[in-house]
Amino acid sequence: MQTIFADMRTGIDKEQMARAGEILRSGGLVAFPTETVYGLGANALDADAAAKIYRAKGRPSDNPLIVHIADMEALYQIAAEVPEKARALAAWFWPGPLTMIFKKKDCVPKTTTGGLDTVAVRMPDHAVALQLIREGGGFVAAPSANASGRPSPTKASHVAEDMAGKIDMIIDGGDVGIGVESTILDLSGDIPMILRPGYVNQDMLQKVIGEVTADPALFSADPKEPPKAPGMKYRHYAPKAEMLIVEGAQEAVVSHIRRLAQEELERGGKPGVIASEETKEHYAGIVRCMGSRQDELSISRHLYAVLRELDEQNVTKIFSEAFDTPVLGQAIMNRLLRAAGHQIVKV
Ligand code: AMP
Ligand code: MG
């Protein structure tokens, strides 16, 4: 496996990018940066290549892949129907962190779509990703480049941890900008529905197309309500340690977490705390800061790295503050709740 570096200031080495494209066109796997998380790319129209993604990740075969494109023409080549609302959303949010689901054309193999007749499509807002998609033939299936069950990678070193020896190349473009996966929107029903919250939130979507709902299963632990995106039913990240989220006014949250951490210490355990810039000084021991509550992107950008770091520390319990921030709050809380197996207390 080769790692190549994409320097965002001096541009991308054309020869190396051509080699990466060649790997994709000949059915290989290339991990690459996007604005959300690192993706593990394969030719989306080649069933054998797509199958390699599932093998490398250890991903269940019913969990469909998102197809990444670099221009609108490509959408019409793989989507059987492109509703008016989808065209409006593409005009506003593409390239960007919004994935939309369409009825698929026959050229998209069912290996790519996890057996479904629909295909999820996104145009990423990242120069390296767009160039790679063009070099690689125009249609790149790319789930997050982590081993299944691990947190999504937000730096190239995370990809190397999970994928070394399993893929052909990593393109290192530095740390990602957003840090949580794209918003997934299903437009097949009467009212469009968010299947996975991301940076493009319900308000932003509603401003463009009117009413939008969210899958009720997203914030519920009730197993009778399976999420509509097949991948969302899998626990995204099972930290070795049990995790609990504490929600409420800042002072009450801090004192509750301090008490829980103290109790865990007294039991002979090793507590880990997920804090914010504003509160980190109030905790002792293993404390990881997500960022300032005044800067939501710093919080989303650090989330998965913090979860990986706490696992490396072999903590026995994780206590996390809640992060209901204005724009990214739904996306951040959805990921935290899944990491915590939906364990949350209000204080
Ligand atoms: P990842 O690329 O790892 O972020 O995961 C892709 C997510 O998109 C998973 O949760 C999938 O279940 C979801 N997804 C992909 N294609 C479809 C589809 N056709 N219908 C519903 N959900 C989809
Ligand atoms: Mg993923």
Side-chain angles (χ1 to χ4, degrees):
M1 183 186 70
Q2 189 197 0
T3 300
I4 64 172
F5 294 90
D7 186 322
M8 305 307 284
R9 286 157 306 166
T10 54
I12 301 146
D13 185 289
K14 281 213 172 70
E15 247 172 61
Q16 290 192 316
M17 191 51 89
R19 195 138 30 98
E22 174 53 31
I23 291 174
L24 288 180
R25 276 182 277 107
S26 57
L29 300 182
V30 177
F32 62 98
T34 77
E35 81 279 32
T36 57
V37 300
Y38 273 76
L40 178 56
N43 180 355
L45 305 188
D46 174 345
D48 293 336
K52 285 186 190 165
I53 290 182
Y54 290 89
R55 279 203 297 277
K57 281 180 62 84
R59 182 177 177 104
S61 60
D62 69 343
N63 188 359
L65 309 174
I66 294 171
V67 179
H68 292 67
I69 57 172
D71 52 56
M72 280 305 280
E73 217 173 285
L75 175 63
Y76 293 96
Q77 290 180 49
I78 55 176
E81 277 168 39
V82 180
E84 179 66 44
K85 286 180 180 171
R87 281 200 291 273
L89 291 173
W92 273 95
F93 297 111
W94 280 2
L98 175 67
T99 295
M100 292 186 275
I101 294 170
F102 302 92
K103 291 209 181 76
K104 78 172 191 72
K105 281 191 174 164
D106 289 342
C107 63
V108 185
K110 285 213 171 168
T111 315
T112 298
T113 64
L116 300 175
D117 292 322
T118 53
V119 59
V121 187
R122 159 169 129 83
M123 193 189 292
D125 185 14
H126 195 292
V128 174
L130 291 170
Q131 192 176 344
L132 177 70
I133 294 163
R134 288 190 195 102
E135 293 280 347
F139 305 92
V140 176
S144 48
N146 52 289
S148 213
R150 296 264 294 155
S152 297
T154 52
K155 1 172 145 257
S157 62
H158 295 161
V159 180
E161 272 168 37
D162 287 12
M163 291 297 154
K166 296 181 179 164
I167 65 177
D168 301 296
M169 183 185 271
I170 299 178
I171 302 178
D172 184 342
D175 292 6
V176 299
I178 294 179
V180 291
E181 304 84 344
S182 60
T183 307
I184 300 181
L185 187 70
D186 181 1
L187 290 141
S188 66
D190 289 342
I191 301 169
M193 183 184 278
I194 296 172
L195 305 189
R196 177 173 75 183
Y199 181 85
V200 177
N201 65 23
Q202 197 165 2
D203 272 358
M204 299 179 195
L205 295 168
Q206 291 192 144
K207 285 202 174 100
V208 181
I209 56 167
E211 190 180 1
V212 170
T213 58
D215 183 351
L218 285 178
F219 301 98
S220 150
D222 184 354
K224 287 197 294 294
E225 235 179 336
K228 294 189 174 50
M232 299 292 278
K233 71 172 178 276
Y234 298 106
R235 188 156 170 204
H236 198 265
Y237 174 48
K240 283 177 247 156
E242 204 180 316
M243 177 165 157
L244 176 72
I245 303 167
V246 181
E247 190 178 50
Q250 187 166 301
E251 272 178 35
V253 167
V254 168
S255 69
H256 195 69
I257 289 181
R258 281 171 59 115
R259 195 165 58 244
L260 292 172
Q262 184 61 34
E263 285 166 10
E264 181 63 11
L265 266 181
E266 283 162 12
R267 273 195 296 271
K270 189 177 175 191
V273 174
I274 301 181
S276 54
E277 197 60 45
E278 289 76 12
T279 57
K280 64 177 187 192
E281 305 297 340
H282 300 301
Y283 304 109
I286 297 164
V287 182
R288 287 292 176 275
C289 174
M290 294 265 272
S292 168
R293 289 176 184 279
Q294 305 308 313
D295 177 6
E296 289 187 60
L297 275 171
S298 85
I299 292 174
S300 62
R301 203 179 281 149
H302 288 124
L303 187 149
Y304 287 130
V306 161
L307 290 174
R308 279 181 185 254
E309 284 171 28
L310 286 172
D311 240 6
E312 276 159 28
Q313 293 285 326
N314 289 312
V315 295
T316 52
K317 278 260 167 68
I318 300 171
F319 303 108
S320 177
E321 297 180 358
F323 291 88
D324 280 314
T325 54
V327 178
L328 274 154
Q330 283 215 330
I332 294 167
M333 286 307 290
N334 169 260
R335 301 329 186 261
L336 273 182
L337 281 164
R338 291 171 72 200
H342 286 270
Q343 292 198 78
I344 182 163
V345 290
K346 295 187 182 20
V347 292

